[in-house]
Amino acid sequence: DAMVIQNPRYQVTQFGKPVTLSCSQTLNHNVMYWYQQKSSQAPKLLFHYYDKDFNNEADTPDNFQSRRPNTSFCFLDIRSPGLGDAAMYLCATSRDDHSNQPQHFGDGTRLSIL
Amino acid sequence: DQQVKQNSPSLSVQEGRISILNCDYTNSMFDYFLWYKKYPAEGPTFLISISSIKDKNEDGRFTVFLNKSAKHLSLHIVPSQPGDSAVYFCAASASYSGAGSYQLTFGKGTKLSVIP
């Protein structure tokens, strides 16, 4: 049973056209994360939510935004995608951020920019 | 600057033999280490972890060893099976993070191929 679900699995958008990726979880975890992973690179954390508290990484471009309307859902918005934003985007969750716990990942959305 | 390094992009091992995947880190504040396994077209799956208070953790065929003085950890898989063929990511976190966030820093991964 999928616990972290990302939709769509593949997304194609045009240069400069806004795009939204979605993530949902059935684990009732407090923390949700968004990572960007480019080919042969390590996943790079973009931001995370602890409950409704948003935490942005210092080097995450302003082009990337996120919304978490409730515990189960989290969205990644790319306002004006550039060619360099083509990547795999991974959503992950963890129960909380106050103890050593693994993060649980979805299967990712592969974003292509035309 | 990479804080978690997996210097071998790929590794091939014969079925039934031991697979050893290595990981080095530079941040001495890291105190929790994890290994993730990733199949093509799937997300990373948590495999095994180790806290810095231990030097070994075992789960079935998988054992993780931690050498804090060398800032090195390794994942041993024995015996290796064809189904173990995947990309393995090493990750680390530091509990000192004031915001209370145990953020993971990942290596670039090692692609393991187990040959039948």
Side-chain angles (χ1 to χ4, degrees), chain A:
Chain A
D1 293 336
M3 296 180 289
V4 182
I5 304 164
Q6 291 188 243
N7 284 305
R9 292 295 310 277
Y10 301 91
Q11 177 74 55
V12 181
T13 192
Q14 292 179 329
F15 182 93
K17 185 174 181 180
V19 65
T20 294
L21 311 181
S22 81
C23 177
S24 64
Q25 54 132 340
T26 60
L27 298 163
N28 203 34
H29 281 175
N30 288 317
V31 192
M32 295 187 78
Y33 308 81
W34 279 104
Y35 289 85
Q36 179 192 64
Q37 185 183 19
K38 297 188 176 180
S39 181
S40 302
Q41 297 296 312
K44 179 180 179 297
L45 182 65
L46 295 173
F47 26 57
H48 74 279
Y49 274 94
Y50 181 84
D51 195 14
K52 294 183 179 180
D53 292 333
F54 178 70
N55 297 273
N56 198 31
E57 291 302 294
D59 56 355
T60 298
D62 292 339
N63 201 24
F64 290 83
Q65 304 285 321
S66 186
R67 296 171 284 136
R68 189 178 184 186
N70 53 52
T71 299
S72 301
F73 286 88
C74 194
F75 300 98
L76 169 62
D77 300 307
I78 308 177
R79 292 190 297 185
S80 182
L83 296 178
D85 296 328
M88 174 72 80
Y89 289 88
L90 294 165
C91 174
T93 73
S94 63
R95 190 174 69 227
D96 60 51
D97 63 353
H98 293 289
S99 60
N100 292 336
Q101 297 175 2
Q103 294 177 14
H104 300 267
F105 284 83
D107 286 338
T109 294
R110 182 165 294 284
L111 178 66
S112 300
I113 313 295
L114 298 179

Side-chain angles (χ1 to χ4, degrees), chain B residues 10-43:
Chain B
S10 63
L11 174 69
S12 290
V13 172
Q14 206 72 29
E15 181 179 4
R17 305 295 291 267
I18 186 171
S19 296
I20 300 176
L21 297 100
N22 293 303
C23 178
D24 298 293
Y25 62 96
T26 57
N27 188 341
S28 57
M29 300 301 290
F30 286 147
D31 57 6
Y32 183 57
F33 305 89
L34 309 89
W35 285 94
Y36 282 84
K37 176 180 179 179
K38 185 181 183 302
Y39 291 119
E42 294 183 12

